[in-house]
Coordinates of all heavy atoms in Angstrom, one line a residue:
I87 N 11.6 30.1 5.5 CA 10.6 29.6 4.6 C 11.1 29.6 3.2 O 11.0 28.6 2.5 CB 9.3 30.6 4.7 CG1 8.7 30.5 6.1 CG2 8.3 30.2 3.6 CD1 7.5 31.4 6.3
E108 N 2.3 30.4 2.5 CA 1.4 31.2 3.3 C 0.5 32.0 2.4 O 0.6 31.8 1.1 CB 2.3 32.2 4.1 CG 3.2 33.1 3.2 CD 2.7 34.5 3.0 OE1 2.4 35.1 4.0 OE2 2.7 34.9 1.9
G109 N -0.4 32.7 2.9 CA -1.5 33.3 2.1 C -1.3 34.8 1.7 O -1.9 35.3 0.8
T110 N -0.5 35.5 2.5 CA -0.4 37.0 2.4 C 0.1 37.4 1.0 O -0.5 38.3 0.4 CB 0.5 37.6 3.5 OG1 0.1 37.1 4.7 CG2 0.5 39.1 3.5
Y133 N -9.3 34.4 4.2 CA -9.1 33.2 3.4 C -9.0 32.0 4.3 O -8.5 32.1 5.5 CB -7.9 33.2 2.5 CG -6.6 33.8 3.2 CD1 -5.8 32.9 3.9 CD2 -6.3 35.1 3.1 CE1 -4.6 33.4 4.5 CE2 -5.2 35.6 3.8 CZ -4.3 34.8 4.4 OH -3.2 35.3 5.1
R139 N 4.9 23.9 3.7 CA 6.3 24.2 4.1 C 7.1 22.9 4.3 O 6.6 22.1 5.1 CB 6.3 25.1 5.3 CG 5.7 26.4 5.1 CD 5.8 27.3 6.3 NE 4.9 28.5 6.2 CZ 4.7 29.4 7.1 NH1 5.3 29.3 8.3 NH2 3.8 30.4 6.9
E141 N 9.0 21.4 6.4 CA 9.6 21.5 7.7 C 9.7 20.1 8.3 O 9.2 19.1 7.8 CB 8.6 22.3 8.6 CG 8.4 23.7 8.2 CD 7.9 24.6 9.3 OE1 8.7 24.9 10.2 OE2 6.7 25.0 9.3
G146 N 1.7 19.6 15.6 CA 1.4 21.0 15.3 C 2.3 21.6 14.3 O 2.2 22.8 14.0
R147 N 3.2 20.8 13.7 CA 4.0 21.3 12.6 C 4.0 20.3 11.5 O 4.5 19.2 11.5 CB 5.4 21.5 13.1 CG 6.2 22.5 12.2 CD 7.6 22.3 12.2 NE 8.3 23.0 13.3 CZ 9.5 22.6 13.7 NH1 10.1 21.6 13.2 NH2 10.1 23.2 14.7
L148 N 3.3 20.7 10.4 CA 3.1 19.8 9.2 C 3.7 20.4 8.0 O 4.1 21.6 7.9 CB 1.6 19.7 9.0 CG 0.9 18.9 10.2 CD1 -0.4 19.5 10.5 CD2 0.7 17.4 9.7
F151 N -0.4 22.3 5.8 CA -1.2 22.7 7.0 C -2.2 23.7 6.5 O -2.3 24.0 5.3 CB -0.3 23.3 8.1 CG 0.5 24.5 7.6 CD1 0.0 25.8 7.9 CD2 1.6 24.4 6.9 CE1 0.7 26.9 7.5 CE2 2.4 25.5 6.5 CZ 1.9 26.8 6.8
Q153 N -4.6 27.3 7.1 CA -4.6 28.6 7.8 C -6.0 29.3 7.6 O -6.6 29.2 6.5 CB -3.6 29.6 7.2 CG -2.1 29.3 7.6 CD -1.2 30.3 7.1 OE1 -1.4 31.1 6.2 NE2 0.0 30.4 7.8
C156 N -6.6 36.8 7.6 CA -7.3 38.1 7.3 C -6.3 39.1 6.9 O -5.2 39.2 7.5 CB -8.1 38.6 8.5 SG -9.4 37.5 8.9
E157 N -6.6 39.9 5.9 CA -5.7 41.0 5.4 C -6.6 42.3 5.3 O -7.7 42.2 4.7 CB -5.1 40.7 4.1 CG -4.5 39.3 4.0 CD -3.2 39.0 4.8 OE1 -2.7 40.0 5.5 OE2 -2.8 37.9 4.9
R284 N 9.1 37.6 14.2 CA 8.3 36.9 13.1 C 9.3 36.3 12.1 O 10.4 36.7 11.9 CB 7.3 37.9 12.4 CG 6.4 38.6 13.4 CD 5.2 37.8 13.8 NE 4.3 37.4 12.7 CZ 4.0 36.1 12.5 NH1 4.4 35.1 13.3 NH2 3.2 35.8 11.5
L286 N 8.8 36.1 8.8 CA 8.7 36.6 7.4 C 9.2 38.0 7.4 O 9.1 38.7 8.3 CB 7.2 36.5 7.0 CG 6.5 35.1 7.1 CD1 5.8 35.0 8.5 CD2 5.5 34.9 6.0
Y288 N 8.3 40.7 5.5 CA 7.6 41.8 5.1 C 7.1 42.8 6.2 O 6.5 43.8 5.9 CB 6.4 41.4 4.1 CG 5.6 40.3 4.5 CD1 4.8 40.3 5.7 CD2 5.5 39.2 3.7 CE1 4.0 39.2 6.0 CE2 4.6 38.1 4.0 CZ 3.9 38.1 5.1 OH 3.1 37.1 5.4
Y289 N 7.3 42.4 7.4 CA 6.6 43.2 8.5 C 7.3 44.5 8.8 O 8.5 44.7 8.6 CB 6.6 42.4 9.8 CG 5.7 41.2 9.7 CD1 6.2 39.9 9.7 CD2 4.3 41.4 9.6 CE1 5.3 38.8 9.6 CE2 3.4 40.3 9.5 CZ 4.0 39.0 9.5 OH 3.1 38.0 9.4
T306 N 2.6 28.9 19.1 CA 2.0 30.0 18.4 C 0.8 29.5 17.6 O 1.0 28.8 16.6 CB 3.0 30.8 17.5 OG1 4.1 31.1 18.3 CG2 2.4 32.1 16.9
V307 N -0.4 29.9 17.9 CA -1.6 29.5 17.2 C -1.9 30.5 16.1 O -2.6 30.1 15.1 CB -2.8 29.2 18.1 CG1 -2.5 28.0 18.9 CG2 -3.1 30.4 18.9
L308 N -1.5 31.7 16.3 CA -1.9 32.8 15.3 C -0.8 33.9 15.3 O -0.3 34.2 16.4 CB -3.2 33.3 15.8 CG -4.0 34.4 15.0 CD1 -5.5 34.3 15.3 CD2 -3.5 35.8 15.2
G309 N -0.5 34.3 14.1 CA 0.6 35.4 14.1 C 0.3 36.4 13.0 O -0.4 36.0 12.0
G310 N 0.8 37.6 13.1 CA 0.5 38.6 12.1 C 1.2 39.9 12.4 O 2.1 39.9 13.2
G311 N 0.8 40.9 11.6 CA 1.4 42.2 11.8 C 1.2 43.1 10.7 O 0.5 42.8 9.7
Y313 N 2.4 45.3 7.5 CA 3.4 45.2 6.4 C 3.2 46.3 5.4 O 2.7 46.0 4.3 CB 3.4 43.8 5.8 CG 2.1 43.2 5.3 CD1 1.8 43.2 4.0 CD2 1.1 42.7 6.2 CE1 0.5 42.7 3.5 CE2 -0.1 42.2 5.8 CZ -0.4 42.2 4.4 OH -1.6 41.7 4.0
G329 N -2.4 42.3 8.8 CA -3.2 41.0 8.8 C -2.6 40.0 9.7 O -1.7 40.2 10.4
F330 N -3.3 38.8 9.7 CA -2.8 37.7 10.5 C -3.2 36.4 9.9 O -4.0 36.4 8.9 CB -3.4 37.8 11.9 CG -4.9 37.5 12.0 CD1 -5.4 36.2 12.0 CD2 -5.8 38.5 12.0 CE1 -6.7 35.9 12.0 CE2 -7.2 38.2 12.1 CZ -7.6 36.9 12.1
A331 N -2.6 35.3 10.3 CA -3.1 34.0 10.0 C -3.0 33.1 11.2 O -2.1 33.2 12.0 CB -2.3 33.4 8.8
A332 N -4.0 32.2 11.3 CA -4.1 31.2 12.4 C -3.9 29.8 11.8 O -4.3 29.5 10.7 CB -5.4 31.3 13.1
G333 N -3.2 29.0 12.5 CA -2.9 27.6 12.1 C -4.1 26.7 12.6 O -4.3 26.6 13.8
R336 N -3.1 23.7 14.8 CA -2.8 24.1 16.1 C -4.0 24.5 16.9 O -4.1 24.2 18.1 CB -1.8 25.2 16.1 CG -0.5 24.8 15.6 CD 0.6 25.7 15.7 NE 1.7 25.3 14.9 CZ 2.8 26.0 14.6 NH1 3.0 27.2 15.2 NH2 3.8 25.5 13.9
Ligands
HAM9 P1 3.2 32.5 10.1 O1 3.5 32.9 11.5 O2 4.2 31.9 9.3 O3 2.5 33.7 9.4 O4 2.0 31.4 10.2 C1 0.8 31.7 10.8 C2 0.3 30.5 11.6 O5 0.2 29.4 10.8 C3 1.3 30.1 12.7 O6 1.1 30.8 13.9 C4 0.9 28.6 12.9 O7 -0.2 28.5 13.8 C5 0.5 28.2 11.5 N1 1.6 27.4 10.9 C6 2.7 27.9 10.3 N2 3.5 26.9 9.9 C7 2.9 25.8 10.2 C8 3.2 24.4 10.0 N3 4.3 24.0 9.4 N4 2.4 23.5 10.5 C9 1.2 23.9 11.1 N5 0.9 25.1 11.3 C10 1.7 26.1 10.9 C11 2.1 33.8 8.2 O8 1.9 32.8 7.5 C12 1.6 35.1 7.7 N6 1.2 35.1 6.3 C13 0.6 35.7 8.6 C14 0.1 37.1 8.2 C15 -1.0 37.4 7.5 N7 0.8 38.2 8.4 C16 0.1 39.2 7.8 N8 -1.0 38.7 7.2

Side-chain angles (χ1 to χ4, degrees):
I87 296 179
E108 56 103 52
T110 307
Y133 48 86
R139 296 183 194 175
E141 298 203 72
R147 201 205 277 159
L148 291 138
F151 60 99
Q153 286 187 337
C156 290
E157 313 291 355
R284 308 276 300 127
L286 306 94
Y288 44 61
Y289 294 110
T306 309
V307 291
L308 185 155
Y313 51 102
F330 71 80
R336 290 191 195 171

